Each structure stands twice: as structure tokens, then as C-alpha cells.
């Protein structure tokens, strides 16, 4: 048996695409493979199993998944097995095979935990036909087989608290892909956080498709607040906890009170709102009571001092008139969010928005997105300028060449800004720095927190 063959046997190569929730599934699959004695390698040539955990959310992500599968498929050797896992496979099943005929195994995102079983079936199969592992299951599986539902980056970790979604958003394919919302038992999440605490993790990002729906399927009211309270009391050595993906209408007084009461819960809230005009929101099948948003943001800011709010918006949704878009622009100006992501509408067959088609030209969508981000860039800069002279804690994410980069509580990894600091700080630690400068999204800082103080208007007190 050739050296390459010998070396590849019982190794896997895993490419994870899409969102942080998919990354968690990838790392859980990796854990199960490792536990089965199949080791992970960074080079596909050194692997027997080539796994792509695909994304099937919107057009560009689907394309990327197909391209990556094709690349691996075209270079695949006879002793290798190509596995298409994840959301694209769950959504399109055999269609994926038509696009990439070299695929040997199809594994849906709802049964990520069957990866070892599929790997074994592939190795033992005596026929050339691909193996479909797409059982008709209503939801994401809850038999996690002891795999941690986390994705660790340095001393930060994404923790999946639930999967799937029961919301009716017209443009979104997630409920088609994942099924309805399934919460992990609170004990399982707390036990996992305790393992992470023992591993020295300092920041938890709680993720789900809709974190504010946590516990609903378990009969809990205000489940997210209750989960946070348990996490804060039972993992007191984890100083930073971050709430991602809150659904408007479910950011309750109880949740606000919990955020205000527990310093570990960062004054940061990611709450995708998608639009601000009632008619657009109605066509999106999203909560259309924007007065509620104004009131909730106001009470959040009253209850949680220094709160940083992140939101995301879709422009170019079918039927979006200039007037509707202007309402969104005014909304952004009024509420002055700390962080904003703006996306152009992506037509998704099979979603309830399909009959609306995709009437708004791409260039108009692009113009609207760019204009919205121009407005936001100025707001973000002004908010950053208000921080100059302040001393803030940052999580150090990296260092080198006499510099370090980190994040304040206002910055979730990968999607928000960063702080550039003179000096090499210990990676993975939370350290105080003094903000010395502001850019539209990022800040500069120094470790010399006792240094010259800003007395106002950027003037230095020497
Ligand atoms: S809440 Fe989010 S994941 Fe759920 S349907 Fe709406 S956009 Fe999709």
C-alpha cells in the first residue's frame, strides 16, 4: 500500500463554511471523529474523509459551498471519500450531487452527529453509489453524543444554546433547513460552560437562530434570562457573556433586568431588525411595531448603561419604495446603533417571499446598502470619538511587531470593530487600555492608562 494511502487512512479534512452556528456543528463533528480514532489534518491530500460543512442560507453562500465541494471533488483520489454535510445538503439533498457528482456521502445538518456512522458506511460500502444520510427528521437532533456544542477561539467560545427557528420571516430559509427551534437543556449548557471555565475561557458568545426564544419549547418563560442567571452564578470565573441573535418583540423587561444586574452579561445586544417601515416589515412577515423598537431601545439604554446595540438590515426587499427606504434611513439616524450590518435582499426559492419575486434591480440594492452604511459609518465614528480618553477593558485577540489587537465589550468577534494597541499584550487576557484615537469602526489605544488625560475636545492634560 503506497505511503500516501497509508498516511491518509483514518484521517479527515474538514472545511467549515457559513455562520458561527455551522462552525459549532463542524467542531462537534470533529470531536466525534477524533473520539472514533479518526484524526484531523489540515491538508486534504493527507485525509481519507474530505468533509465540507456547507452553508445553504443565501445565493452567494450556496455558490461558495458548491465551489469548495467541486475543488475537492476534482482532486479526489480513489482512496478518499467526499462528504457534503450541513445546510446546503439538508436543503437540496440530491441536487447537490448533480452539481458535484464526485460526492460519496450526503449528511444533513439535522443529523451532524451521525458523521462517524456515515464515515464507517463509506469505508465498508461495496458499491460505487453515494450514500444519502438525510433521514426525515422534523428537527435538529438532540442526541449530542457528549460532543461539546462550542467553537473555541483563544479564550473566547461560541456556545450553541438552541438550533432551528419557529419564526415566519418570509425571506429566510432557516426554518426549512433546520426545522423549528429546539433548545438544549439548561443543565447541559451550564455544564458545558463549566467545562469551558475550567479550560480558562473568558468570553462566551451565546448563539442560536433566535436566542430570545431559548427555552420556549422546554416550557420556560424568559428562558434566556434564566439561563444567563444560572451561567453567571455557576461560572463566576467567566467575566464576559455576550448575547447574539435576539429577536425583536422578545427582548423582555426580565432580560433587560438580568443584563443590568449581572456584570458578566456584557452591555451588548445583537438584535437583527431587518427593516423599519411597517409595510416592508409586514411583507417580510417580521414584527412591524416599530414604536416597540423605539421604546425598547430607550428602556434598554436606560436600564443598561453603556449598552452597545448591533443590528442588521435588508435593503432591496421586494416592493421597497424610496419612501420605505427613507424610513429605514431615518430610523438608523434616530436610534444611532453602535454596530450595523446591511445586506441586499437575496431571492430564496422555497421561502414564503418567493411569490414576491426579486423586482428591485441589483444596482439599486447596492446603492441603498452603500448609502445606509455611509450614514452608519458617520454614526459609528461619532460614537467611537466619545470613547477617546476613556479607560476600557479589551480582550486581547492577537499581538506581534510591538502591537496588539483586541476587542472591547462593544465588539463581537469577526463582525464588529477592534482596538489597535501599542505594545504586545498577553493574548486571551482581558486588560485595561486607554483609548487614544477613533476611526469609523476601530479604535487605537495605549496600555499607559495613567498617561496624559483627555480633558475635552481631544485636548491633552499634560
Ligand atoms: S428569526 Fe432569523 S433564523 Fe428565524 S426565520 Fe427569522 S431570520 Fe430566519
Amino acid at each position: 500500500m503506497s505511503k500516501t494511502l497509508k498516511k491518509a487512512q483514518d484521517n479527515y479534512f474538514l472545511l467549515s463554511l457559513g455562520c458561527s452556528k455551522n462552525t459549532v456543528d463542524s467542531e462537534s463533528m470533529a470531536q466525534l471523529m477524533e473520539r472514533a480514532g479518526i484524526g484531523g489534518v489540515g491538508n486534504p491530500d493527507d485525509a481519507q474523509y474530505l468533509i465540507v460543512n456547507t452553508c445553504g442560507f443565501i445565493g452567494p453562500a450556496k455558490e461558495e459551498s458548491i465551489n469548495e465541494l467541486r475543488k475537492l471533488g476534482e482532486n479526489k483520489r480513489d482512496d478518499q471519500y467526499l462528504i457534503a454535510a450541513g445546510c446546503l445538503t439538508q436543503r437540496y439533498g440530491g441536487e447537490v450531487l448533480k452539481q458535484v457528482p464526485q460526492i460519496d456521502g450526503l449528511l444533513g445538518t439535522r443529523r451532524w452527529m451521525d458523521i462517524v456512522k456515515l464515515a464507517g458506511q463509506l469505508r465498508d460500502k461495496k458499491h460505487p453509489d453515494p450514500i444519502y444520510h438525510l433521514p426525515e427528521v422534523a428537527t435538529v437532533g438532540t442526541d449530542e453524543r457528549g460532543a461539546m456544542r462550542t467553537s473555541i477561539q483563544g479564550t473566547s467560545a461560541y456556545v450553541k444554546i438552541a438550533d432551528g427557528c419557529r419564526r415566519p420571516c418570509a425571506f429566510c430559509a432557516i426554518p426549512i433547513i433546520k426545522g423549528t427551534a429546539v433548545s438544549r437543556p439548561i443543565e447541559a449548557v451550564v455544564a458545558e460552560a463549566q467545562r469551558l471555565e475550567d479550560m480558562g475561557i473568558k468570553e462566551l458568545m451565546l448563539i442560536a437562530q433566535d436566542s430570545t426564544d431559548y427555552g420556549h419549547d422546554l416550557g420556560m418563560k424568559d428562558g434566556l434570562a434564566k439561563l444567563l442567571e444560572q451561567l453567571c452564578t455557576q461560572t463566576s470565573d467567566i467575566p464576559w457573556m455576550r448575547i447574539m441573535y435576539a429577536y425583536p418583540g422578545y427582548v423582555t423587561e426580565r432580560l433587560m433586568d438580568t443584563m443590568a444586574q449581572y456584570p458578566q452579561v456584557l452591555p451588548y445586544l445583537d438584535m437583527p431588525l431587518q427593516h423599519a417601515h411597517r409595510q416592508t416589515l409586514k411583507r417580510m412577515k417580521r414584527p412591524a411595531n416599530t414604536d416597540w423598537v423605539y421604546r425598547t431601545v430607550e428602556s434598554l439604554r436606560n436600564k443598561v448603561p453603556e449598552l452597545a446595540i448591533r443590528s442588521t438590515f435588508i435593503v432591496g426587499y421586494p416592493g421597497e419604495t424610496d419612501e420605505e427606504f427613507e424610513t429605514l434611513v431615518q430610523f438608523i439616524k434616530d436610534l444611532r446603533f453602535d454596530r450595523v450590518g446591511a445586506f441586499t435582499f437575496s431571492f430564496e426559492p422555497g421561502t414564503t417571499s418567493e411569490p414576491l419575486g426579486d423586482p428591485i434591480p441589483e444596482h439599486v440594492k447596492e446603492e441603498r446598502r452603500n448609502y445606509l452604511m455611509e450614514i452608519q459609518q458617520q454614526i459609528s465614528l461619532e460614537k467611537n470619538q466619545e470613547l477617546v480618553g476613556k479607560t476600557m477593558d479589551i480582550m486581547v485577540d492577537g499581538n506581534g511587531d510591538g502591537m496588539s489587537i483586541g476587542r472591547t465589550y462593544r465588539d463581537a468577534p469577526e463582525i464588529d470593530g477592534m482596538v489597535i494597541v501599542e505594545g504586545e499584550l498577553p493574548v486571551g487576557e482581558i486588560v485595561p487600555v486607554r483609548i487614544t484615537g477613533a476611526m469609523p469602526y476601530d479604535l487605537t489605544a495605549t496600555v499607559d492608562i495613567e498617561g496624559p488625560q483627555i480633558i475635552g475636545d481631544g485636548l491633552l492634560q499634560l
Side-chain angles (χ1 to χ4, degrees):
M1 183 189 290
S2 74
K3 204 158 73 23
T4 316
L5 257 179
K6 183 105 199 61
K7 204 163 122 217
Q9 211 143 32
D10 290 336
N11 283 336
Y12 71 88
F13 166 82
L14 198 160
L15 177 62
S16 187
L17 303 174
C19 66
S20 55
K21 286 149 269 185
N22 227 29
T23 313
V24 168
D25 289 354
S26 297
E27 298 200 11
S28 298
M29 287 194 279
Q31 290 168 49
L32 296 178
M33 292 291 270
E34 309 271 346
R35 198 183 301 151
I38 305 171
V41 290
N43 180 342
D45 293 345
D46 301 336
Q48 184 173 32
Y49 302 102
L50 307 171
I51 307 167
V52 180
N53 196 18
T54 63
C55 176
F57 186 43
I58 54 172
K62 293 188 268 186
E63 247 170 72
E64 182 194 18
S65 296
I66 291 290
N67 292 342
E68 293 297 341
L69 281 164
R70 274 207 185 109
K71 261 194 276 175
L72 289 169
E74 281 151 14
N75 300 309
K76 186 180 70 132
R77 296 191 309 269
D78 293 348
D79 68 302
Q80 296 180 305
Y81 302 105
L82 179 58
I83 298 173
C87 295
L88 185 78
T89 308
Q90 183 75 49
R91 188 173 176 189
Y92 294 104
E95 287 300 306
V96 180
L97 202 54
K98 289 195 191 125
Q99 306 242 2
V100 189
Q102 299 92 339
I103 290 171
D104 300 289
L106 292 145
L107 177 69
T109 187
R110 298 184 192 186
R111 294 301 308 171
W112 58 268
M113 60 288 293
D114 296 341
I115 183 69
V116 174
K117 181 179 168 193
L118 177 61
Q121 289 171 333
L122 288 171
R123 194 177 43 213
D124 304 340
K125 74 185 173 88
K126 300 283 179 279
H127 56 79
D129 304 334
I131 295 178
Y132 290 64
H133 192 77
L134 292 160
E136 285 293 324
V137 287
T139 67
V140 173
T142 54
D143 49 337
E144 301 171 351
R145 312 214 168 134
M148 290 183 76
R149 305 296 284 132
T150 59
S151 170
I152 298 173
Q153 299 168 358
T155 57
S156 301
Y158 291 97
V159 178
K160 193 178 267 193
I161 62 173
D163 211 347
C165 189
R166 65 185 173 107
R167 309 296 181 201
C169 310
F171 51 80
C172 183
I174 297 288
I176 302 169
I177 297 171
K178 297 263 185 180
T180 192
V182 178
S183 303
R184 302 178 63 210
I186 202 163
E187 305 74 33
V189 179
V190 172
E192 202 156 79
Q194 287 169 329
R195 284 174 70 180
L196 293 168
E197 184 183 40
D198 296 342
M199 294 159 71
I201 293 296
K202 294 188 171 54
E203 177 181 22
L204 297 185
M205 270 76 65
L206 303 184
I207 59 172
Q209 264 78 35
D210 171 5
S211 298
T212 39
D213 199 33
Y214 176 77
H216 176 266
D217 55 313
L218 302 174
M220 295 165 76
K221 187 172 176 313
D222 271 310
L224 181 59
K226 289 173 182 157
L227 173 63
L228 284 164
E229 287 152 14
Q230 288 221 14
L231 287 171
C232 290
T233 47
Q234 299 185 45
T235 57
S236 51
D237 288 342
I238 298 183
W240 281 16
M241 297 182 187
R242 201 181 285 279
I243 303 170
M244 308 298 293
Y245 309 103
Y247 187 80
Y250 289 77
V251 178
T252 61
E253 292 294 323
R254 168 85 187 263
L255 181 60
M256 295 184 211
D257 294 339
T258 300
M259 292 180 75
Q261 184 187 344
Y262 293 89
Q264 287 163 277
V265 182
L266 291 173
Y268 176 96
L269 185 68
D270 167 43
M271 181 169 64
L273 292 164
Q274 309 301 2
H275 212 281
H277 192 286
R278 284 175 191 279
Q279 296 315 317
T280 323
L281 287 164
K282 283 196 177 124
R283 291 195 306 280
M284 285 179 166
K285 295 193 176 15
R286 295 271 304 181
N289 178 355
T290 41
D291 295 344
W292 174 92
V293 179
Y294 278 90
R295 285 197 308 277
T296 298
V297 168
E298 192 185 347
S299 42
L300 269 167
R301 284 174 172 161
N302 291 340
K303 285 191 179 201
V304 186
E306 315 289 321
L307 177 73
I309 303 178
R310 170 185 181 83
S311 192
T312 45
F313 299 94
I314 294 174
V315 297
Y317 190 76
E320 186 188 54
T321 60
D322 291 348
E323 187 258 336
E324 290 180 8
F325 177 65
E326 274 314 313
T327 302
L328 176 57
V329 170
Q330 191 54 50
F331 181 77
I332 300 271
K333 288 178 179 173
D334 291 349
L335 287 178
R336 294 176 62 77
F337 297 103
D338 300 79
R339 308 289 186 203
V340 163
F343 302 90
T344 56
F345 170 68
S346 174
F347 175 74
E348 283 307 314
T351 61
T352 52
S353 72
E354 182 175 359
L356 302 175
D358 191 7
I360 300 196
E362 284 308 316
H363 74 87
V364 174
K365 293 181 190 175
E366 291 295 335
E367 279 159 24
R368 288 178 178 174
R369 184 182 56 176
N370 297 343
Y371 181 66
L372 204 69
M373 290 315 290
E374 257 172 53
I375 303 281
Q376 177 57 28
Q377 192 177 53
Q378 185 53 36
I379 293 169
S380 182
L381 175 61
E382 288 161 11
K383 282 185 170 264
N384 276 357
Q385 284 169 336
E386 289 161 14
L387 300 173
V388 174
K390 288 200 171 153
T391 296
M392 301 180 77
D393 283 348
I394 63 163
M395 166 69 79
V396 182
D397 288 331
N399 64 26
D401 305 330
M403 300 296 286
S404 302
I405 55 161
R407 291 172 292 110
T408 69
Y409 74 84
R410 304 172 72 251
D411 309 306
E414 300 166 282
I415 53 175
D416 294 328
M418 63 182 169
V419 184
I420 302 149
V421 191
E422 298 156 28
E424 298 207 6
L425 299 169
V427 175
E429 295 300 324
I430 297 174
V431 298
V433 298
R434 182 165 55 82
I435 308 301
T436 55
M439 292 170 273
Y441 299 114
D442 304 325
L443 297 165
T444 60
T446 175
V447 286
D448 157 18
I449 57 177
E450 296 312 317
Q453 297 302 315
I454 298 288
I455 54 176
D457 302 332
L459 298 175
L460 286 184
Q461 176 173 341
L462 301 176

